[in-house]
Amino acid sequence: MTDVFRNAITDRKELSYADVLPSSCLHVAFGIDARYVRGMAVTIASIVANNPDRDFVFHVFYGSIAEADFDRLDALARKLATTIILNLIDKTIFAGLATFGQYTHAIYNRLVISDNMKGVTPRILYLDADIVCLGDVSELAEMDLGDNIVAAVADVGRVADVQSAKLNLEHGRYFNSGMILIDIERWNAGGISNKALSILSARKSDLSFPDQDALNIALDGRVAIVDRKWNRLYDLGVMNEDIAAETVFLHYAAGTKPWFSWSFHPLKSHFMRYYSQSPWGGLPLDPPRDYKEMRALARGLIRQRCYCTGLGWYLRSLRKRLAKKFGCV
């Protein structure tokens, strides 16, 4: 089955504007589709900005990217004097697997990373594309994994307890897969991608978070659990507290993303700092799609004393709600 992953890349483009790529550079990988390109761009820009003395190579494993975003990614690589390698995945290899909520088959793209990084780098840092870097990654990049295959952060609260019990994890530590530091050789030797794909195929209706659950099962007992500063999970929709000062990766987990126009959370500012300076900076944020999002946008605008615009969105939310209630949409 390894050949499936090795042959999954159907096209490759290298956007390289780095003068030199030293052997000490850190390789970072993403698995995305067209909807997460902007988020990934901010992740890349924030990593480079907060680590001026370190070189990076960014590997993007994608199923789709809008044509205009190829040009923007090229402009981003040029501006940051870095290297971005785009790897187009044959999406049919994941066609039969489950999806849920806002998550598409792109959640499985990470499974092709290690097989295609063999001989390129001994380890790679995988990141979700809704993360902002706030600090130095050196400690993580140079971390000793011991006999483990990966390093990751334990998931939080009830999710961790419920999933650990549900999946019958022998070692009882359920991790969030938004940040994974991977030892390539050990991952491949352990057949982790193959194991995860087999689990996903066999338990399509049994996994609450398919990709994450499958990796937790496949990697059970071979995970170095690291400090939460490396994957600070934050839900912009329900949380209000500030984050710890030592946070390095702020992960906008859950459904509300910082590129949504109806989110006015103070911690969105970390994302906007890099978004506004990126090739996407002149583009509007995502507009609201339903009456609840329209109402949230209205309330946020009114709190900012944009009364007329806020009232307009509030009236639109009422019309949308009534139309839905009486079956007009």
Side-chain angles (χ1 to χ4, degrees), residues 44-164:
I44 292 172
S46 62
I47 289 173
V48 173
N50 285 282
N51 295 270
D53 298 324
R54 181 175 286 275
D55 295 288
F56 298 90
V57 178
F58 298 98
H59 302 266
V60 183
F61 295 84
Y62 71 98
S64 62
I65 291 180
E67 196 62 36
D69 281 337
F70 285 112
D71 293 334
R72 295 187 184 106
L73 285 168
D74 186 71
L76 179 71
R78 185 185 301 111
K79 178 180 179 181
L80 300 177
T82 193
T83 297
I84 301 175
I85 300 174
L86 304 173
N87 301 279
L88 176 62
I89 292 177
D90 177 4
K91 294 186 290 185
T92 62
I93 66 172
F94 301 130
L97 301 182
T99 59
F100 66 103
Q102 76 266 30
Y103 301 106
T104 67
H105 287 110
I107 61 177
Y108 305 116
N109 290 358
R110 74 190 76 188
L111 296 181
V112 310
I113 293 172
S114 288
D115 279 299
N116 287 281
M117 289 294 99
K118 181 180 180 181
V120 176
T121 176
R123 58 168 54 182
I124 195 163
L125 175 62
Y126 168 83
L127 294 173
D128 277 355
D130 51 2
I131 286 175
V132 172
C133 179
L134 305 178
D136 189 347
V137 302
S138 296
E139 181 186 343
L140 181 64
E142 297 156 12
M143 183 175 291
D144 182 1
L145 295 180
D147 293 329
N148 295 295
I149 296 174
V150 304
V153 172
D155 217 319
V156 295
R158 191 169 180 272
V159 170
D161 296 334
V162 169
Q163 292 306 107
S164 179

Side-chain angles (χ1 to χ4, degrees), residues 232-243 250-254 256 265 267:
R232 186 73 63 182
L233 300 172
Y234 203 95
D235 186 344
L236 294 175
V238 300
M239 298 173 70
N240 295 304
E241 63 267 27
D242 201 357
I243 55 173
L250 171 58
H251 186 180
Y252 298 105
T256 303
H265 198 289
L267 289 186

Side-chain angles (χ1 to χ4, degrees), residues 5 15 17 58 110 113 158 169 174 186 198 222 225 232 237 250 293:
F5 298 119
L15 313 175
Y17 295 93
F58 298 98
R110 74 190 76 188
I113 293 172
R158 191 169 180 272
L169 298 181
Y174 182 84
R186 290 175 184 168
S198 296
R222 302 297 304 276
I225 298 296
R232 186 73 63 182
L250 171 58
E293 293 172 356

Side-chain angles (χ1 to χ4, degrees), residues 111-298:
L111 296 181
V112 310
I113 293 172
S114 288
D115 279 299
N116 287 281
M117 289 294 99
K118 181 180 180 181
V120 176
T121 176
R123 58 168 54 182
I124 195 163
L125 175 62
Y126 168 83
L127 294 173
D128 277 355
D130 51 2
I131 286 175
V132 172
C133 179
L134 305 178
D136 189 347
V137 302
S138 296
E139 181 186 343
L140 181 64
E142 297 156 12
M143 183 175 291
D144 182 1
L145 295 180
D147 293 329
N148 295 295
I149 296 174
V150 304
V153 172
D155 217 319
V156 295
R158 191 169 180 272
V159 170
D161 296 334
V162 169
Q163 292 306 107
S164 179
K166 179 181 177 181
L167 301 178
N168 195 29
L169 298 181
E170 181 181 348
H171 293 82
R173 299 300 300 274
Y174 182 84
F175 66 87
N176 181 276
S177 61
M179 185 289 295
I180 313 176
L181 180 65
I182 300 170
D183 183 295
I184 298 295
E185 183 177 355
R186 290 175 184 168
W187 180 291
N188 291 337
I192 302 303
S193 291
N194 293 334
K195 289 179 181 178
L197 187 58
S198 296
I199 293 164
L200 288 162
S201 299
R203 303 177 62 172
K204 292 179 184 178
S205 61
D206 184 38
L207 303 177
S208 302
F209 309 99
D211 56 322
Q212 184 167 281
D213 287 355
L215 287 174
N216 267 273
I217 296 170
L219 288 162
D220 190 19
R222 302 297 304 276
V223 182
I225 298 296
V226 296
D227 193 277
R228 295 198 183 280
K229 69 181 181 180
W230 300 114
N231 185 6
R232 186 73 63 182
L233 300 172
Y234 203 95
D235 186 344
L236 294 175
V238 300
M239 298 173 70
N240 295 304
E241 63 267 27
D242 201 357
I243 55 173
E246 69 270 16
T247 298
V248 177
F249 289 130
L250 171 58
H251 186 180
Y252 298 105
T256 303
K257 301 302 181 185
W259 53 86
F260 292 169
S261 61
W262 61 93
S263 172
F264 291 84
H265 198 289
L267 289 186
K268 178 177 177 173
S269 62
H270 294 295
F271 174 89
M272 293 305 299
R273 179 184 310 131
Y274 300 102
Y275 179 79
S276 62
Q277 299 172 16
S278 78
W280 288 260
L283 300 178
L285 299 178
D286 287 1
R289 299 159 295 185
D290 57 38
Y291 78 87
K292 292 181 180 179
E293 293 172 356
M294 290 177 181
R295 187 174 58 194
L297 177 57

